[in-house]
Amino acid sequence: CSSDLMVRCQEQGIETRVIHNASIINAVGCCGLQLYRFGQVLSMCFWTETWRPDSWYPRLLANKKEGVHTLLLLDIKVKEVSDENLARGKKIYEKPRFMSIHQALEQLKEVELNRQGGAINESSVFIGLARVGSSTQQVVAGTMDELLKVDFGEPLHSLILAGDIHECEAEHTSLFAVNKDSIKIGRA
């Protein structure tokens, strides 16, 4: 880990300096939600016919109950070898795939339908983010149904499930709203 490296360098009198990288973890502030009001960050992976993990759901529900926002990191498959090629010992890479906001929303909908824990409902506020930090950045806030009608275009995509929305967050986030009435202040 980097902290171990820094300690070892210090012990040997080697000067170190940290150069921070851009990250979606802090870049999501562009949507108007306050970074300190985010809970656990969750990852959503591509499903297959036989593998449909939903182990992230209890953490999503915990964030909801605490009233904090949830950043959902969407799967990226780059330089992946198929199971078939792996079994044959062939190093043939699959075409890169990037999970879309629509795919993530459909998975969320299905998991909520199966689990019925109340992490999301028809009035839950989501914020779809595409190509954050680029000149074609896109930020759209709304309900699941509203976001499913939006063309988010090329990757990379991320998704936020808003928790309790503070007044100043609502003002900023409503700038990106499909329907400003969807952005409600207070308990999610």
Side-chain angles (χ1 to χ4, degrees):
C1 90
S2 65
S3 60
D4 176 58
L5 178 61
M6 291 183 75
V7 169
R8 289 186 288 136
C9 287
Q10 180 71 30
E11 289 170 351
Q12 295 179 28
I14 301 169
E15 186 179 328
T16 60
R17 188 177 91 186
V18 175
I19 300 172
H20 297 279
N21 190 11
S23 168
I24 192 64
I25 303 292
N26 56 13
V28 297
C30 69
C31 74
L33 297 177
Q34 298 170 357
L35 294 177
Y36 73 90
R37 301 195 69 240
F38 276 79
Q40 296 180 66
V41 176
L42 307 180
S43 297
M44 295 189 68
C45 59
F46 283 111
W47 284 351
T48 67
E49 290 179 24
T50 58
W51 188 63
R52 300 169 85 77
D54 62 359
S55 57
W56 44 263
Y57 185 82
R59 290 184 304 282
L60 183 73
L61 190 56
N63 282 355
K64 165 79 171 186
K65 287 179 179 175
E66 292 175 25
V68 294
H69 312 306
T70 304
L71 172 60
L72 298 157
L73 304 175
L74 308 187
D75 204 357
I76 299 171
K77 297 282 188 194
V78 180
K79 290 192 89 172
E80 297 278 331
V81 179
S82 71
D83 291 340
E84 183 180 315
N85 284 329
L86 192 59
R88 293 182 177 164
K90 295 181 178 179
K91 201 171 184 177
I92 301 170
Y93 297 111
E94 299 285 305
K95 181 181 172 193
R97 295 186 305 146
F98 305 92
M99 183 179 281
S100 70
I101 290 165
H102 292 173
Q103 288 169 308
L105 288 169
E106 291 296 345
Q107 284 188 14
L108 283 164
K109 189 188 301 187
E110 185 173 324
V111 170
E112 181 60 47
L113 187 65
N114 292 335
R115 294 277 194 122
Q116 297 184 2
I120 61 173
N121 58 49
E122 61 281 343
S123 63
S124 294
V125 175
F126 289 90
I127 301 171
L129 302 124
R131 300 168 306 285
V132 172
S134 77
S135 61
T136 63
Q137 172 176 300
Q138 186 177 10
V139 179
V140 181
T143 65
M144 181 180 287
D145 288 340
E146 289 169 341
L147 264 56
L148 283 169
K149 295 173 185 167
V150 175
D151 179 2
F152 285 96
E154 296 296 311
L156 295 170
H157 294 182
S158 297
L159 184 63
I160 298 169
L161 171 58
D164 299 345
I165 299 175
H166 186 272
E167 186 177 337
C168 64
E169 290 178 311
E171 189 175 353
H172 188 163
T173 303
S174 68
L175 298 173
F176 309 111
V178 173
N179 174 1
K180 294 191 187 321
D181 293 334
S182 297
I183 311 300
K184 305 271 191 246
I185 297 169
R187 194 80 185 140

